[in-house]
Amino acid sequence: MKNICVITGGGSGMGLETARIMASTHYIIICGRTVQKLESAVKVLREEGIACEAFPCDVADRNSVERLAQHAKEAGRVQALIHAAGMSPHMGDVEAILSTNAVGTIHMNTAFYKIMGEGSCILDVSSMSAYLTPSFIMPRKLYKYSMEDPSVFLHKMMRRIRIFPAAARAGVAYGISKHFVIWYSKQCALKYGEKGIRVVCVSPGNFETPMGKLEQEEADKFTNHAAIKRFGKPEEIAFLFSSIVDERNSYLTGLDIICDGGLVASGVNAFTR
């Protein structure tokens, strides 16, 4: 059976660059909500000689995710899931951000746990915002509801975020949702290890991607605080992703890796920039 790598958010940016690297060892399935973007990406990849296909999927929709997982299973052995899809504060309202970033990760991990096995790896993508958002904001006690009922979890998270001023809610929702992804991926690592599935999280900083351009004005304020004073290149984070899911990294699981040019290490946060 051929090895399959599924990449959400694979139509552009770091997901698309990761597809290029992973294609040397895997058949690629890229996923996203925008069919036109996926089709354009597949065309480009195939012109480069890459064996791949597109599969439309909305990670916030559990049924959509389960269809994706079943399709991937039928294509071969799903060795790698790189869940890079996400929504920034400039891309949607609070509920959309939480549904995509937090609940979407629940849907993806749960569905792919069922169809993946020994030697496989799930890579969840968080953000350095999980570290830049002040810790006291994080509703850690609510995270446990994600393991019981995602709809109850979403309802409780929405109630928590509504206590903040309306103008700040999207940014707060983003930071909390990405903080949750780190927590959730670690819970999954503990559980999924019984099947030989590794789960690793990566928290990228500012990268030269379409999403990065939407955040550029605010992100530029942070750059001077970093050790490496520039935005990252998509191929740099793609190399990290591909290294993590490589089966030779078989002892790596249950952690978050920050790839931000040293920004978090500077101690800056969203309130002190």
Side-chain angles (χ1 to χ4, degrees), residues 33-52:
R33 294 181 300 166
T34 307
V35 174
Q36 185 176 0
K37 181 189 291 187
L38 291 177
E39 291 175 345
S40 297
V42 165
K43 181 181 178 185
V44 169
L45 292 173
R46 287 177 176 170
E47 288 173 351
E48 297 173 11
I50 292 173
C52 63

Side-chain angles (χ1 to χ4, degrees), residues 35-249:
V35 174
Q36 185 176 0
K37 181 189 291 187
L38 291 177
E39 291 175 345
S40 297
V42 165
K43 181 181 178 185
V44 169
L45 292 173
R46 287 177 176 170
E47 288 173 351
E48 297 173 11
I50 292 173
C52 63
E53 65 179 87
F55 194 95
C57 178
D58 179 358
V59 300
D61 181 342
R62 181 175 58 85
N63 292 329
S64 180
V65 170
E66 290 180 350
R67 287 193 294 270
L68 167 63
Q70 183 59 35
H71 177 77
K73 178 183 177 182
E74 292 169 357
R77 172 192 177 235
V78 183
Q79 188 275 321
L81 166 64
I82 298 173
H83 176 37
M87 184 173 286
S88 78
H90 295 283
M91 297 170 67
D93 60 21
V94 169
E95 185 166 2
I97 291 168
L98 289 175
S99 296
T100 299
N101 297 351
V103 179
T105 301
I106 298 170
H107 292 332
M108 289 298 301
N109 287 20
T110 300
F112 278 82
Y113 166 71
K114 298 174 185 176
I115 58 102
M116 295 172 77
E118 187 74 31
S120 60
C121 182
I122 295 173
L123 193 160
D124 292 321
V125 178
S126 178
S127 166
M128 68 175 182
S129 291
Y131 296 90
L132 301 183
T133 304
S135 180
F136 71 86
I137 287 177
M138 305 304 179
R140 294 176 178 82
K141 292 182 179 180
L142 301 182
Y143 293 173
K144 63 184 179 182
Y145 293 101
S146 65
M147 311 298 286
E148 303 167 8
D149 187 332
S151 62
V152 172
F153 165 72
L154 178 61
H155 175 72
K156 289 182 177 293
M157 293 283 279
M158 288 291 295
R159 286 185 58 189
R160 172 59 181 263
I161 290 170
R162 288 192 186 105
I163 70 175
F164 293 91
R169 288 174 190 168
V172 170
Y174 183 74
I176 289 176
S177 69
K178 290 302 188 178
H179 185 266
F180 167 78
V181 169
I182 296 171
W183 178 90
Y184 187 74
S185 70
K186 292 179 180 180
Q187 305 308 305
C188 291
L190 294 172
K191 176 181 177 181
Y192 297 3
E194 297 176 358
K195 283 186 66 178
I197 304 171
R198 297 186 295 114
V199 185
V200 179
C201 190
V202 173
S203 290
N206 299 316
F207 279 81
E208 296 172 355
T209 63
M211 184 181 292
K213 289 179 181 178
L214 290 175
E215 307 290 332
Q216 185 162 356
E217 183 177 348
E218 183 170 350
D220 283 340
K221 300 173 185 177
F222 289 104
T223 303
N224 289 334
H225 296 278
I228 300 174
K229 302 186 187 305
R230 62 170 175 82
F231 278 29
K233 297 177 173 59
E235 56 267 30
E236 292 173 318
I237 195 77
F239 177 73
L240 175 60
F241 288 173
S242 62
S243 300
I244 289 169
V245 301
D246 191 304
E247 290 191 69
R248 290 171 291 183
N249 249 328

